[in-house]
Amino acid sequence: MKTNETSLPRVLDGIAIAAEIKAEVGLEVARLKEQGITPGLAVILVGEVPASQIYVRSKVKTCAELGIYSEMLTPPETITTDEMLDLVAELNARDTIDGILIQLPLPAHVDTKRLLEAVSPAKDVDGFHPVNAGRLQSGQPALAPCTPAGIIEILKRSGIAIAGKNAVVVGRSDIVGKPAAMMLLNASATVTVCHSRTVDLSKFTREAEILVAAIGRPGFITAEMVRPGATLIDVGINRVTDAAEVERFFPGDASRAAGFAKRGSTVVGDIEPAAFAVSGAYTPVPGGVGALTIAMLMQNTVTAAKARRGTTAAGA
Ligand code: NDP
């Protein structure tokens, strides 16, 4: 779809796209089951972090919906790095498990890097293992991190061309910014990566035809920093608890105000909502990129199952 400065921005509906992907994954799981293969995902959740518990529960629930076997391992907060390594080794060796996910953050005393590297690259459905990062970088088939993979799916399934576009990624984390930049590059965009040491950030963001914001600061990218007609991909999930800030971001928005009054907080992305008005297309928060993450995890689990068991059904 062609957009210009005067047309209304298009909302890129992450929930609808995620539903489409989940439906495809469900069909693929059914095909695999006909061959006697049930993809299996193990999720390790250490301790009692409420936000992590919510994420893990919805991952396990989605597995059940799609016919994927799942297992939740819940060691106590006091588990040591060595005990975690034993757990991962057992899951690496278990044939019924195709994907291993270690829910982050881990307690400070556990060596997260060592653990992520202990997961077999073939079962690394989060795409965090250096082997998968390296494969992604060299354009080989890899299990790619779920959030950036979701960004690419949103663009592709919305018919937004990536090749030849000027893409700017703000944020260079290993889980979002860097892999997102790499995937955009693999899709032939001209990519610039910005971060906290970038001088004159606006100079770069204003050039972006595709702008990805993965910063972790509510409304950090303002309307003035955006090129009119650009596609805005807002990865940020920031909980705002200050009423004045909510009114600043969503002036006169009765439904936001009502939600805030009920829960005492609202979720804001890294791009200020006023910037969406000048865009050509944008992902809302919530209901944009965040909605894709679990769908991509399910897809990675099926991809891992097929690759590991030597099946090359459609989509492999
Ligand atoms: P990190 O904190 O790991 O990385 C933030 C990045 O933003 C860093 O590279 C940092 O630069 C950069 N940054 C910080 N301040 C500035 C600034 N003033 N100007 C330019 N760049 C800046 O965050 P994540 O990548 O893990 O997450 C980013 C956001 O995405 C968060 O809101 C998070 O909640 C959300 N998220 C959403 C997911 C989803 O499913 N939708 C999944 C994962 C994250 P530097 O490297 O120089 O410090």
Side-chain angles (χ1 to χ4, degrees):
M1 186 175 139
K2 202 171 185 313
T3 53
N4 59 45
E5 288 172 37
T6 53
S7 64
L8 272 180
R10 196 174 150 203
V11 182
L12 305 175
D13 184 349
I15 295 171
I17 295 171
E20 200 175 291
I21 294 168
K22 283 190 267 186
E24 290 166 12
V25 172
L27 287 175
E28 194 62 26
V29 172
R31 273 196 288 270
L32 287 171
K33 283 189 170 170
E34 279 167 18
Q35 299 170 38
I37 297 169
T38 299
L41 174 69
V43 183
I44 307 177
L45 170 65
V46 179
E48 314 235 329
V49 182
S52 296
Q53 286 171 328
I54 293 170
Y55 292 138
V56 166
R57 261 187 242 124
S58 60
K59 286 167 186 174
V60 168
K61 186 169 158 260
T62 311
C63 280
E65 282 164 14
L66 303 187
I68 295 173
Y69 167 76
S70 74
E71 205 169 290
M72 195 166 130
L73 298 98
T74 54
E77 171 95 28
T78 49
I79 191 166
T80 63
T81 301
D82 283 341
E83 286 163 343
M84 279 289 280
L85 286 169
D86 288 346
L87 204 56
V88 169
E90 190 273 317
L91 294 168
N92 280 341
R94 191 133 47 99
D95 197 44
T96 50
I97 295 298
D98 298 290
I100 302 169
L101 184 147
I102 303 172
Q103 186 67 40
L104 302 179
L106 291 173
H109 68 270
V110 175
D111 186 340
T112 301
K113 242 190 173 130
R114 219 173 132 204
L115 269 166
L116 294 179
E117 291 193 19
V119 173
S120 160
K123 297 189 177 187
D124 170 39
V125 282
D126 251 340
F128 292 162
H129 195 286
V131 165
N132 281 316
R135 283 189 186 141
L136 181 67
Q137 196 231 283
S138 58
Q140 296 174 53
L143 290 168
C146 299
T147 300
I151 293 173
I152 301 295
E153 287 292 334
I154 290 177
L155 292 170
K156 287 193 172 160
R157 289 174 189 250
S158 304
I160 294 170
I162 302 174
K165 290 284 181 65
N166 200 3
V168 174
V169 180
V170 187
R172 56 172 165 177
S173 71
D174 289 339
I175 62 167
V176 189
K178 267 187 223 163
M182 202 48 73
M183 284 182 222
L184 288 163
L185 183 61
N186 287 346
S188 297
T190 301
V191 182
T192 305
V193 184
C194 300
H195 45 78
S196 68
R197 306 294 297 273
T198 298
V199 176
D200 196 359
L201 180 64
S202 302
K203 184 178 88 186
F204 297 97
T205 57
R206 274 200 293 262
E207 289 297 313
E209 293 168 287
I210 298 171
L211 178 62
V212 178
I215 308 158
R217 295 183 172 211
F220 182 80
I221 303 285
T222 61
E224 300 73 50
M225 295 168 77
V226 166
R227 172 181 172 142
T231 296
L232 304 181
I233 304 291
D234 192 349
V235 186
I237 300 177
N238 309 293
R239 201 158 285 283
V240 172
T241 52
D242 177 30
E245 229 186 336
V246 176
E247 183 52 28
R248 179 166 71 82
F249 286 131
F250 307 100
D253 185 332
S255 93
R256 279 282 179 172
F260 180 73
K262 198 168 150 201
R263 287 183 290 274
S265 69
T266 194
V267 173
V268 180
D270 289 343
I271 301 177
E272 70 164 354
F276 296 147
V278 300
S279 73
Y282 68 94
T283 58
V285 176
V289 175
L292 266 288
T293 304
I294 291 184
M296 299 316 295
L297 173 68
M298 299 296 118
Q299 196 180 73
N300 272 354
T301 303
V302 169
T303 302
K306 289 195 293 192
R308 207 171 57 80
R309 299 166 195 238
T311 307
T312 49

